[in-house]
Amino acid sequence: MRLSIVIIILLSVASCKSPEARYPVSQNSGSYIDESVERNKEMIAKEEDYIKQVMGEDTDTEFLTSADGFWYYYNNKSTDSTNTETPEFGDIVIFDYSISTIEGEPIYAEGEKATREYAMDKEKLFTGLRQGLKLMKEGETVTFLFPSHKAFGYYGDQDRIGSNVPITAKVTLREIKESDTKN
């Protein structure tokens, strides 16, 4: 009986001990993030070099460089001097587009994607296309060459476009409807 009382006292004293902090088995200094950034920079540089190589092989086309990090050329440029308006925030644009690989293999052929109505910068649209539409005037057709980070990036489109795939998008801007909220 005495032994059981001693055991109970010892257990109660031992249970009153305050909890001690547990330290991690290993510590990271952020090197994983640094390595990931370097990998992404290398991947982007390779994609851009490849796109430039493809553009260099097409000597008949005048490619333009956007300030946003992609390339484009006009299939049909507006020559109407009164047609100077490009879409702005909130405007509704109606456009058609097709998507292919950088080499020109169709991913989504012309007519496969329905004519799209889009409120500029108010709805989801992949980055490059959103930026590209801002360069266009009504009635123009432009072909854009997007590195993967301007297209569908790491996730792809969850259907036909895989991870980190640079693409070509041919876009025809049918109409620009001005936003009612402009001054």
Side-chain angles (χ1 to χ4, degrees), residues 107-108 113 152-164:
I107 298 172
Y108 294 103
K113 289 279 197 182
F152 292 92
Y154 177 75
Y155 293 104
D157 76 339
Q158 311 273 319
D159 189 14
R160 298 184 197 172
I161 301 172
S163 177
N164 298 321

Side-chain angles (χ1 to χ4, degrees), residues 88-163:
E88 296 178 11
F89 179 83
D91 287 348
I92 304 296
V93 294
I94 299 170
F95 65 96
D96 298 319
Y97 69 107
S98 62
I99 296 176
S100 60
T101 64
I102 292 296
E103 299 82 14
E105 295 296 318
I107 298 172
Y108 294 103
E110 287 189 45
E112 191 172 344
K113 289 279 197 182
T115 297
R116 176 95 191 258
E117 190 171 298
Y118 169 70
M120 290 300 296
D121 298 326
K122 290 186 171 186
E123 298 176 43
K124 282 189 173 185
L125 191 64
F126 70 88
T127 305
L129 185 53
R130 187 173 61 242
Q131 293 166 337
L133 284 167
K134 292 176 184 177
L135 301 172
M136 298 178 70
K137 297 175 188 143
E138 212 170 84
E140 291 183 330
T141 301
V142 178
T143 299
F144 298 98
L145 288 79
F146 297 120
S148 65
H149 68 280
K150 290 290 179 180
F152 292 92
Y154 177 75
Y155 293 104
D157 76 339
Q158 311 273 319
D159 189 14
R160 298 184 197 172
I161 301 172
S163 177

